[in-house]
Amino acid sequence: MAVGGFAVDGGNVDGLGGRITLSVVVTCLVAATCGLIFGYDVGISGGVTTMGPFLKKFFPSVLRKAAEAKTNMYCIYDSQVLTAFTSSLYIAGLASSLLASRLTTAFGRRNIMVLGGCTFLAGAAINGGAANIAMLILGRILLGLGVGFTNQATPVYLSEMAPPKWRGAFNTGFQFFLGLGVVAANCINYGTAKISWGWRLSLGLAAAPAAIMTLGALLISDTPASLVERGRLTQAKQALLRVRGHDTDIEPELTELIRSSEIAKASKEEPFITIFERQYRPHLVMSILIPFFQQLTGINIIAFYAPVLFQSVGFGSNSALIAAIILGLVNLGSILVSTFVVDRCGRRFLFIEGGVQMFLSQVAVACVLAATTGVSGTERISKGYAILVLVLMCIYAAGFGWSWGPLSWLIPSEIFPMKIRPTGQSISVAVNFAVTFVLSQTFLTMLCHFKFGAFLFYASWIAVMTIFVVFFLPETKGVPLDSMHVVWERHWYWHRFVNKESY
Ligand code: BGC
């Protein structure tokens, strides 16, 4: 491809682990379950914060406001206090994801996944038993610290563990379990919404995915790269033999890992300074822009808006939750599409196809809403049109599910050299949380003021990010992590930043 895209096929890849063993599949599946806790929280919070008994106990003013005259359907849930509560998790997550780069380097990726699970578990217990708002906030901070750790450690774990040829597929497991957590949470909210103390159940049940992933993480070994980095050569060799197969010649991969680790150790510089060197500019730009763009696809506004929309056209809260579950299932199915396509057709293909699909469906949603609910949003739309909007949102969710959803975790975890890989992933997760925080703090107000225009706002960003991918994102499919510098060296724009001596 003329701009940006090419694959480093052949020689490099064939020599290094194209084989899928049962051990690597099981290990990566277990590791990917770490996505469950973030997904569960994303899915549970929206539902709980609209439950009457929960609002009555902790946020009575919000309940009073909601009962007052509803201006128009876009403004119903516009409450700063509630959004501040929900998004406090993202601030805690931001802090712990930055800290996690040091911890994963010193103690390994696996141990930080366990730490994240335990922290989240404690948060779930406190939230489920919350007697006052202080407990609720403390619980939320612990949940945030937990997902900060796991979101930083897991994608790196998966990328380092996977056979290079199928790294994309293995990495999508993280987003798959994240999506599964969202659907599970939506189903639980559907059941608990009918019980007066249902919110306790919803919040407390977060302990279940946390227990699953923590126990799972305790059973798997750390990645060979992390073991080599921490000087545990014998263990690294054993781990490599297990995941690549006992009859595989693991020497070339081990030699590469030792070489990368020596480079990492030789550099005495602080990784948070190294990453700002000119030669790492392309990597840094990606680790910031990819999560930034992911949030500007508007995925969270769509997920939130679907039940509100359906409720506002008189479907009742049950059907509204069903709409959310449908969207979640479409999203899950489409992540599996990504699993099968990402290493065959490449990351760029999925990003570009998904981008075009999301752009068109957002514009279509805006047009349908403008035509049916009127410019002020006060007219009710018919059931038929509401279903059309749901279908368009499903097309959008599918586009996200096979592009920006999984790939935003994959790209930052695979483009960095070992010495700054945890740092790059930390920055990426921190940017994800920071942008999610800002958007969730503002999107309900924006929806209230922009009305259907909010969808056009996100559509414009999707156009920008798709053009960015076309010109600036190199293809990374099949390239071993330790040879990744080649993709920048051959890129029409980024090659000018590369310093070959440092690899
Ligand atoms: C995003 C979240 C989003 C989730 C939805 C993740 O990749 O980072 O913001 O809520 O996908 O499935």
Side-chain angles (χ1 to χ4, degrees):
M1 189 167 291
V3 269
F6 64 85
V8 184
D9 297 319
N12 267 341
V13 185
D14 294 342
L16 290 176
R19 215 178 121 196
I20 300 179
T21 61
L22 183 63
S23 170
V24 78
V25 173
V26 173
T27 308
C28 288
L29 265 181
V30 171
T33 60
C34 290
L36 279 176
I37 54 174
F38 185 39
Y40 187 88
D41 189 81
V42 167
I44 217 78
S45 314
V48 167
T49 49
T50 53
M51 287 181 190
F54 174 82
L55 292 176
K56 198 170 160 205
K57 187 166 172 66
F58 299 107
F59 301 95
S61 62
V62 174
L63 200 58
R64 271 197 302 279
K65 190 187 156 217
E68 283 162 15
K70 288 167 184 164
T71 37
N72 69 47
M73 70 173 198
Y74 297 102
C75 302
I76 299 172
Y77 289 96
D78 182 13
S79 156
Q80 290 293 327
V81 202
L82 215 48
T83 18
F85 160 74
T86 311
S87 48
S88 62
L89 176 141
Y90 294 103
I91 297 296
L94 198 158
S96 68
S97 59
L98 289 175
L99 179 67
S101 78
R102 251 180 230 303
L103 299 180
T104 44
T105 305
F107 303 107
R109 290 46 167 149
R110 198 283 307 253
N111 291 339
I112 301 315
M113 283 147 69
V114 174
L115 175 68
C118 294
T119 319
F120 194 89
L121 200 62
I126 294 179
N127 267 353
N132 50 44
I133 196 140
M135 283 179 79
L136 208 56
I137 289 176
L138 174 67
R140 225 152 157 78
I141 290 174
L142 288 173
L143 296 181
L145 294 177
V147 291
F149 288 138
T150 49
N151 286 5
Q152 193 272 352
T154 316
V156 171
Y157 182 100
L158 291 169
S159 284
E160 288 182 345
M161 204 53 134
K165 204 172 168 187
W166 304 110
R167 186 175 57 240
F170 280 86
N171 200 290
T172 59
F174 180 69
Q175 179 76 12
F176 180 81
F177 279 99
L178 204 162
L180 194 62
V182 174
V183 175
N186 283 330
C187 295
I188 286 172
N189 274 345
Y190 181 74
T192 60
K194 302 176 182 84
I195 314 170
S196 63
W197 51 279
W199 62 270
R200 263 192 208 288
L201 211 53
S202 288
L203 294 181
L205 278 176
I212 294 173
M213 57 126 305
T214 310
L215 287 178
L218 280 170
L219 296 175
I220 53 180
S221 79
D222 204 359
T223 65
S226 174
L227 290 166
V228 168
E229 198 180 18
R230 290 183 291 133
R232 305 181 178 198
L233 270 189
T234 322
Q235 274 172 274
K237 208 168 174 172
Q238 281 164 356
L240 258 187
L241 276 175
R242 221 175 11 249
V243 290
R244 301 285 178 257
H246 286 275
D247 50 350
T248 305
D249 177 17
I250 55 155
E251 281 312 315
E253 190 169 356
L254 191 62
T255 311
E256 269 307 301
L257 289 178
I258 295 173
R259 198 182 66 88
S260 300
S261 143
E262 274 160 7
I263 295 175
K265 284 195 185 118
S267 138
K268 295 270 175 284
E269 215 177 38
E270 160 62 44
F272 273 102
I273 293 178
T274 310
I275 206 165
F276 285 96
E277 283 173 12
R278 182 182 154 82
Q279 56 175 320
Y280 299 121
R281 199 60 42 83
H283 312 63
L284 184 65
V285 167
M286 293 303 160
S287 73
I288 294 173
L289 282 187
I290 297 280
F292 174 81
F293 283 149
Q294 187 208 41
Q295 288 308 314
L296 281 161
T297 56
I299 183 64
N300 289 312
I301 193 176
I302 289 277
F304 183 86
Y305 185 59
V308 177
L309 174 80
F310 288 94
Q311 214 159 349
S312 73
V313 295
F315 272 25
S317 55
N318 270 358
S319 324
L321 278 169
I322 290 175
I325 294 172
I326 293 176
L327 271 185
L329 288 174
V330 169
N331 178 47
L332 260 188
S334 59
I335 298 167
L336 288 180
V337 173
S338 188
T339 308
F340 287 101
V341 175
V342 67
D343 295 308
R344 293 184 170 88
C345 304
R347 287 68 165 142
R348 285 170 50 83
F349 168 77
L350 283 173
F351 267 127
I352 295 166
E353 196 287 331
V356 171
Q357 184 171 327
M358 284 192 288
F359 173 80
L360 294 177
S361 42
Q362 290 266 37
V363 172
V365 168
C367 292
V368 174
L369 289 180
T372 55
T373 63
V375 176
S376 63
T378 45
E379 281 159 50
R380 291 166 74 84
I381 76 173
S382 68
K383 276 200 179 172
Y385 277 115
I387 289 170
L388 175 62
V389 172
L390 177 64
V391 170
L392 289 171
M393 284 184 176
C394 285
I395 296 175
Y396 166 87
F400 178 85
W402 59 58
S403 61
W404 286 90
L407 304 187
S408 305
W409 300 103
L410 170 64
I411 302 291
S413 73
E414 66 177 5
I415 54 173
F416 285 93
M418 191 199 268
K419 65 177 171 184
I420 48 170
R421 190 173 302 140
T423 318
Q425 182 69 19
S426 279
I427 292 179
S428 187
V429 178
V431 171
N432 183 313
F433 284 149
V435 183
T436 310
F437 175 78
V438 173
L439 290 185
S440 54
Q441 227 27 60
T442 50
F443 83 62
L444 290 176
T445 313
M446 179 167 101
L447 188 63
C448 183
H449 289 98
F450 281 19
K451 305 186 175 69
F452 59 84
F455 294 92
L456 295 178
F457 170 81
Y458 287 111
S460 318
W461 275 107
I462 295 171
V464 170
M465 64 189 82
T466 308
I467 293 170
F468 172 85
V469 167
V470 169
F471 287 100
F472 294 106
L473 185 78
E475 183 55 68
T476 46
K477 96 171 173 184
V479 184
L481 294 182
D482 296 303
S483 313
M484 199 55 82
H485 54 94
V486 180
V487 304
W488 309 110
E489 281 163 19
R490 294 198 198 160
H491 190 272
W492 72 275
Y493 179 73
W494 297 121
H495 75 89
R496 67 200 76 196
F497 292 89
V498 174
N499 171 4
K500 286 190 186 165
E501 270 71 64
S502 69
Y503 289 103

Coordinates of all heavy atoms in Angstrom, one line a residue, residues 69 77 104 125 263:
A69 N -40.6 18.6 35.9 CA -40.9 18.6 34.5 C -39.7 18.3 33.6 O -38.7 18.9 33.8 CB -41.4 20.0 34.2
Y77 N -31.3 12.9 31.9 CA -30.3 12.5 32.9 C -29.1 13.4 33.1 O -28.1 13.0 33.6 CB -29.8 11.1 32.5 CG -30.8 10.0 32.7 CD1 -31.6 9.6 31.6 CD2 -31.1 9.5 33.9 CE1 -32.6 8.7 31.8 CE2 -32.1 8.6 34.1 CZ -32.9 8.2 33.1 OH -33.8 7.2 33.2
T104 N 4.7 -3.2 36.9 CA 4.8 -4.3 36.0 C 6.2 -4.6 35.6 O 6.6 -5.7 35.3 CB 3.9 -4.1 34.7 OG1 4.2 -2.8 34.2 CG2 2.5 -4.4 34.9
A125 N -16.8 -5.2 47.5 CA -17.3 -5.5 48.8 C -17.8 -4.2 49.5 O -18.9 -4.2 50.1 CB -16.3 -6.2 49.6
I263 N 19.3 -4.3 26.3 CA 19.2 -2.9 25.8 C 18.5 -2.1 26.9 O 18.8 -1.0 27.3 CB 18.5 -2.8 24.5 CG1 19.3 -3.5 23.4 CG2 18.2 -1.4 24.1 CD1 18.7 -3.5 22.0

